[in-house]
Amino acid sequence: MIDISERAQAHFQRLVAQQNEDGLGIRLRVVAAGTPSAQCELEFCTPSDLTGDEWTVECEGFNIYVDTESMRWLDPATIDYETTPTGSQLNIRAPRIKGDAPGEGAGLVERVQFVLESEIAPQIASHGGRISLVEVTSGGVVVLRFGGGCHGCGMVDVTLKNGVEKTLRERIPEITEVRDATDHETGDKPYFARAG
């Protein structure tokens, strides 16, 4: 089930009205569903754009059409239009969009990889960085390699300890330590330059 707040409906209604086109609705679909790069895509649509097998969510003054293949990734989901002191933002929360977390029987490497791909990598990517798993030792030590803007970054130690290690240890208690195997001396485009 998709829950669309009154604020989000009012926001969509304003957008649809601005287009000044009869029968205009909004199509919602998931791109790259079940993967770490999954995201929701919204676009205006007319009745002629529809295939007829979409799920229809009736709202005041317009409809939202959900792509049939996307529905399983969006159940449950919430759509809200939130106002903050710095502006307003449409937020879609769909906990299943990136796939289901590994089950109880999953190995340590699989669980580490899932947390890296679903939670940590998107944050690092927002700064132009990359992170990859090198190994997980039998003692629970996770060894990582940074790339992109994190390669040679002056803040990588803070990112590693206060971000990556903290998140991994909270999600996976068996982890004892997180280490960086990157040769940061060879980084040529760091997000923050190292102090000379």
Side-chain angles (χ1 to χ4, degrees):
M1 177 180 159
I2 301 174
D3 179 38
I4 306 169
S5 74
E6 289 181 15
R7 291 182 302 214
Q9 289 185 48
H11 174 69
F12 286 137
Q13 191 174 23
R14 282 190 302 273
L15 293 175
V16 168
Q18 289 172 358
Q19 304 309 307
N20 201 25
E21 188 172 338
D22 288 339
L24 193 66
I26 295 174
R27 182 171 23 212
L28 169 63
R29 69 184 185 115
V30 177
V31 179
T35 71
S37 58
Q39 59 184 330
C40 288
E41 184 177 88
L42 292 164
E43 62 186 357
F44 292 116
C45 66
T46 63
S48 64
D49 296 327
L50 303 173
T51 61
D53 64 346
E54 295 87 359
W55 288 67
T56 303
V57 179
E58 294 180 2
C59 300
E60 185 69 37
F62 69 98
N63 289 332
I64 293 181
Y65 302 97
V66 183
D67 177 70
T68 301
E69 293 296 315
S70 299
M71 196 60 204
R72 74 182 187 110
W73 304 102
L74 296 171
D75 187 13
T78 59
I79 302 175
D80 194 13
Y81 187 68
E82 299 171 353
T83 303
T84 67
T86 58
S88 300
Q89 180 174 323
L90 185 70
N91 284 317
I92 302 175
R93 290 181 179 83
R96 298 189 60 239
I97 193 171
K98 295 182 186 293
D100 294 321
E104 279 186 38
L108 187 57
V109 172
E110 185 181 356
R111 290 182 289 145
V112 168
Q113 192 68 45
F114 180 81
V115 173
L116 281 175
E117 290 176 358
S118 64
E119 292 185 51
I120 297 170
Q123 295 296 321
I124 295 210
S126 71
H127 290 178
R130 293 185 310 275
I131 190 168
S132 59
L133 179 62
V134 175
E135 72 172 319
V136 179
T137 70
S138 59
V141 177
V142 174
V143 181
L144 304 171
R145 181 164 286 118
F146 289 93
C150 293
H151 189 183
C153 180
M155 295 297 289
V156 76
D157 293 337
V158 173
T159 300
L160 181 71
K161 292 298 176 191
N162 296 344
V164 177
E165 183 170 12
K166 182 178 179 202
T167 300
L168 282 170
R169 291 183 76 178
E170 283 174 0
R171 304 291 184 275
I172 308 167
E174 301 96 306
I175 293 175
T176 57
E177 183 183 358
V178 178
R179 294 182 189 156
D180 181 3
T182 313
D183 176 5
H184 287 284
E185 297 302 316
T186 61
D188 59 356
K189 292 186 180 171
Y191 190 72
F192 286 111
R194 287 187 173 266

